[in-house]
Amino acid sequence: MSSAEEIAKTAAAASAVLRPVSNEARNAALTKIAEILMANKASIVEANKIDLENAEKNSVAGPLVKRLDLSKGDKFDAMCQGVLDVAALPDPIGKVTFASKLDDGLELYRLTCPIGVVLAIFESRPEVIANITALAIKSGNAVILKGGKESLSTFTVISKLVREALAGTEIPSGAVQLIESRQDVAGLLSQDQYIDLVIPRGSNELVRSIKDNTKIPVLGHADGLCNAYINGDADVDMAVRVVVDSKTNYVAACNAIEGLLIQRGEALTTLLPEIAKGLLTAGVTLKVTPEIADALAKAGVADAEKIVPAEDKDFETEFLSLVLAVGAVDGVEEAIAHINKHSSKHTDVIVTSSEETANKFMNSVDSAGVYWNASTRFADGFRYGFGTEVGISTSKIHARGPVGLEGLTCYHYQLRGSGQVAGDYVGAGGKKEFKHEKL
Amino acid sequence: MSSAEEIAKTAAAASAVLRPVSNEARNAALTKIAEILMANKASIVEANKIDLENAEKNSVAGPLVKRLDLSKGDKFDAMCQGVLDVAALPDPIGKVTFASKLDDGLELYRLTCPIGVVLAIFESRPEVIANITALAIKSGNAVILKGGKESLSTFTVISKLVREALAGTEIPSGAVQLIESRQDVAGLLSQDQYIDLVIPRGSNELVRSIKDNTKIPVLGHADGLCNAYINGDADVDMAVRVVVDSKTNYVAACNAIEGLLIQRGEALTTLLPEIAKGLLTAGVTLKVTPEIADALAKAGVADAEKIVPAEDKDFETEFLSLVLAVGAVDGVEEAIAHINKHSSKHTDVIVTSSEETANKFMNSVDSAGVYWNASTRFADGFRYGFGTEVGISTSKIHARGPVGLEGLTCYHYQLRGSGQVAGDYVGAGGKKEFKHEKL
């Protein structure tokens, strides 16, 4: 048996034990995890220092090092509190979402249930291992974790402590397994018999390559190619604020915009120059179509270095930096068509003073998030009020947008009878009719 | 551009037009489809005759020919009525399933929406094309249809009429496309840019081979390996009825049982002989473990031809015929473990007079349907009250069990703001707190 198969089988066995465990017992385990993490702050921070030293040795970029540092500010305490916060959320399991009386003494219930075994592949931020562990246990799933190698020491200590914490609880320790190498991931992707869902967080290439190499369903954000469309009737200050925040609040985030569309006509002389000035002041390089270049020149907005010609591919590029593609469209219809064609179906925003135009945009743009007059940066589990998130999904089925506990559940049907057989009913040989009364 | 790419692009373009269409307009299109089908009964039945003649020429098996015949009984009228029944169902699109006030003037809504483009691959029953077309249009999805080749003439006429019916409606005719060959399917499976979901109905091999050859999510039932477990305290008459109906009501169905487990001890002398006699009378061959063979011999139940030794693989075989694997287990825990290991997570039933034991079974068996004292044959969209179904899913995410309109929808988030930017709020550089009040 390969090591990957062993890991997957262990997770599946743990999932079977975990499935019927009560919310109280799941919460007790989370409380114990939070306690053991708090009690072992010193050894976790020490392991984190090793990761930081290695990062320095390997010349990891400054902003990334900052994200690795668990001792910064209240990050450690927030991580532990996060586990307790998840415990405090309502039980996501066993919720009745449909109930129907098929006939007297024959009742059908649809209840939420855990998915089973989740393989989570995530980046290097050390607190993410605690977030995902908490969400997995709370939702009754076994999880196999693979974190970015830059935080391996920290992950190893935290995962050892999590397993120690689980030892005295109803949750089997196999419910949380940490794997260390990319090789292990490759092996696990063929374990579709045991693993029910892969959640990759990370680069586009990572997500694509995972989809190419597994039969297991993948819930990933392959891209964060978000767009803003400014309708001609938009309030100018609002348009500037929303566009600048959407682009610059955190350029490396998947919910930052990469494309800006402005309605042709008056808006090119009234809205465009102000938005462009706001973006240039914030340090953004504008990749513009000839039409936008002309309009900016006419309005006297000039910056030879930061206003450059756009190529077609710029409207399909996730810059993740202070670069924005800018073009013009005839109106909301063309904006919808452009976005449905070029965006990654993550989050797209319209700025307009017309509710009718906004509704047209929101009902026609096929993205996980469709916004009206608000920054795309709100697309986030914490901001949506989900406590935390396992990721932001650009999949079209199961779960879209920020994925919290609900995305880690599915449902099953319970039929409670008193000896009924199909052969007595219409359609299967009999005469009895179904009642189908809502319960 | 390949023909597959053209078909996929046409569907995606139609999906974009269909997405915002109102429920009234979708219903009007369905009504027109039902009318045009009724008005053209003669030409449809004529085409169906060609399929029947070809089936006879090609020596298609009798039961299959019967399923091809659209002129039998009220089948044709039922097909047309089915389209109207789907129209009469509540609108599955635009339902608000979550609403939260993030802050004053910043409201988050989660609404159901169409998935987009669905590729449906189904068997030869001619009425299925009408069922799936109706469900797809009602749920705002474009659909590409590939039906079994035995009904090609019928499908071709029906699909031509459907497109004629759509001509005068808000639904673009590209929303329903029929493809004819397996080659086309192969080409479409690489169109993950345009197709959002594949729903295959058919053989195990078909579903597996599709999963192997596409990055598109697949919602399929790969197997119908259902089991019945008889606890020692079961009522004997009920056990006999439920087991016999589950096995014999329609042996070729995916919701028929293929395995039977009986609790060791007294039940082997009280329940087993009666159940075995019921099954033998119904013509079922029993593949039994040595323990079951002994117990039957002791009880004087003998049939040299129909009681034969089971091999291990029989407990993982979908017989789809009058054959059943029979074994003994210590009790509900072992039954749960056996089923979670060997079943296909479709539908499994316990017969017991103890609610506690039933609950243990239903909370621990990881199948789409977990039944107590009722035949597994109830696992069906019509019997569940969903009107009709696109299939029965054994996937672990998105939709499980009989899939009706809901399984053809997903959701998106609408955020309605008044110029808010993330930078003003905690976590993204600002001081404002989120309200997260339920709306």
Side-chain angles (χ1 to χ4, degrees), chain A residues 359 368 373 383 413 416 419 436, chain B residues 359 373 383 413 416 419 436:
Chain A
N359 282 337
N373 294 347
R383 284 162 211 161
Y413 289 95
R416 294 166 176 267
H436 293 148
Chain B
N359 283 336
N373 293 347
R383 284 161 211 160
Y413 288 95
R416 295 168 175 265
H436 292 147

Side-chain angles (χ1 to χ4, degrees), chain A residues 115 212 215 241 245 249 359 368 370 372-373 375 383 396 398 400 411 413 415-417 419-420 422-423 428 436, chain B residues 115 212 215 245 249 359 368 370 372-373 375 383 396 398 400 411 413 415-417 419-420 422-423 428 436:
Chain A
I115 290 173
D212 274 337
K215 265 188 275 192
R241 275 167 55 77
D245 187 85
N249 180 254
N359 282 337
V370 281
W372 175 30
N373 294 347
S375 167
R383 284 162 211 161
K396 297 283 298 283
H398 186 65
R400 298 181 86 189
Y411 58 76
Y413 289 95
L415 183 64
R416 294 166 176 267
Q420 286 84 352
H436 293 148
Chain B
I115 290 173
D212 274 338
K215 266 187 275 191
D245 186 85
N249 180 254
N359 283 336
V370 281
W372 175 29
N373 293 347
S375 167
R383 284 161 211 160
K396 298 284 297 283
H398 185 66
R400 298 181 85 188
Y411 58 76
Y413 288 95
L415 184 63
R416 295 168 175 265
Q420 286 84 351
H436 292 147

Side-chain angles (χ1 to χ4, degrees), chain A residues 358-386:
Chain A
N359 282 337
K360 181 177 273 187
F361 182 89
M362 292 194 283
N363 291 333
S364 297
V365 167
D366 177 24
S367 296
V370 281
Y371 286 17
W372 175 30
N373 294 347
S375 167
T376 57
R377 288 276 299 135
F378 285 111
D380 170 278
F382 164 71
R383 284 162 211 161
Y384 277 16
F386 300 166

Side-chain angles (χ1 to χ4, degrees), chain A residues 400-422:
Chain A
R400 298 181 86 189
V403 178
L405 283 174
E406 265 186 63
L408 291 176
T409 70
C410 201
Y411 58 76
H412 66 172
Y413 289 95
Q414 294 190 351
L415 183 64
R416 294 166 176 267
S418 36
Q420 286 84 352
V421 296

Side-chain angles (χ1 to χ4, degrees), chain B residues 21-81:
Chain B
V21 165
S22 71
N23 187 42
E24 291 66 37
R26 282 178 265 129
N27 289 347
L30 292 183
T31 307
K32 238 185 124 194
I33 289 174
E35 285 168 0
I36 209 167
L37 292 180
M38 288 188 265
N40 290 273
K41 182 171 178 173
S43 65
I44 297 170
V45 168
E46 202 171 317
N48 187 231
K49 271 198 189 118
I50 299 174
D51 287 328
L52 289 169
E53 283 164 19
N54 286 336
E56 221 155 293
K57 266 187 233 156
N58 299 323
S59 324
V60 170
L64 180 53
V65 174
K66 230 163 110 186
R67 298 174 74 188
L68 295 185
D69 192 350
L70 202 48
S71 60
K72 266 265 151 85
D74 66 345
K75 219 167 168 189
F76 186 89
D77 298 337
M79 174 181 82
C80 300
Q81 184 58 44

Side-chain angles (χ1 to χ4, degrees), chain A residues 75-94:
Chain A
K75 218 167 169 188
F76 186 90
D77 298 337
M79 173 181 84
C80 301
Q81 184 57 45
V83 176
L84 296 172
D85 288 349
V86 170
L89 291 171
D91 186 5
I93 299 302

Side-chain angles (χ1 to χ4, degrees), chain B residues 276-403:
Chain B
K277 280 188 255 174
L279 288 164
L280 291 166
T281 304
V284 179
T285 295
L286 306 177
K287 295 199 157 198
V288 301
T289 60
E291 189 178 6
I292 298 287
D294 280 357
L296 288 176
K298 274 184 199 150
V301 182
D303 188 323
E305 264 180 40
K306 287 202 148 31
I307 303 179
V308 299
E311 295 171 63
D312 281 354
K313 70 167 172 46
D314 288 326
F315 289 92
E316 288 187 342
T317 299
E318 191 178 10
F319 299 110
L320 295 173
S321 62
L322 286 169
V323 179
L324 184 66
V326 188
V329 290
D330 279 340
V332 68
E333 280 90 359
E334 197 184 338
I336 292 165
H338 175 101
I339 290 170
N340 282 339
K341 188 167 174 202
H342 298 290
S343 94
S344 66
K345 306 184 190 303
H346 187 299
T347 305
D348 298 280
V349 60
I350 183 171
V351 183
T352 176
S353 57
S354 155
E355 182 165 6
E356 196 190 330
T357 307
N359 283 336
K360 182 178 274 188
F361 182 89
M362 291 195 281
N363 291 331
S364 297
V365 167
D366 178 22
S367 296
V370 281
Y371 285 18
W372 175 29
N373 293 347
S375 167
T376 56
R377 287 277 297 136
F378 286 110
D380 172 277
F382 164 71
R383 284 161 211 160
Y384 277 15
F386 300 166
T388 179
E389 66 186 27
V390 285
I392 297 185
S393 161
T394 53
S395 295
K396 298 284 297 283
I397 64 161
H398 185 66
R400 298 181 85 188
V403 177

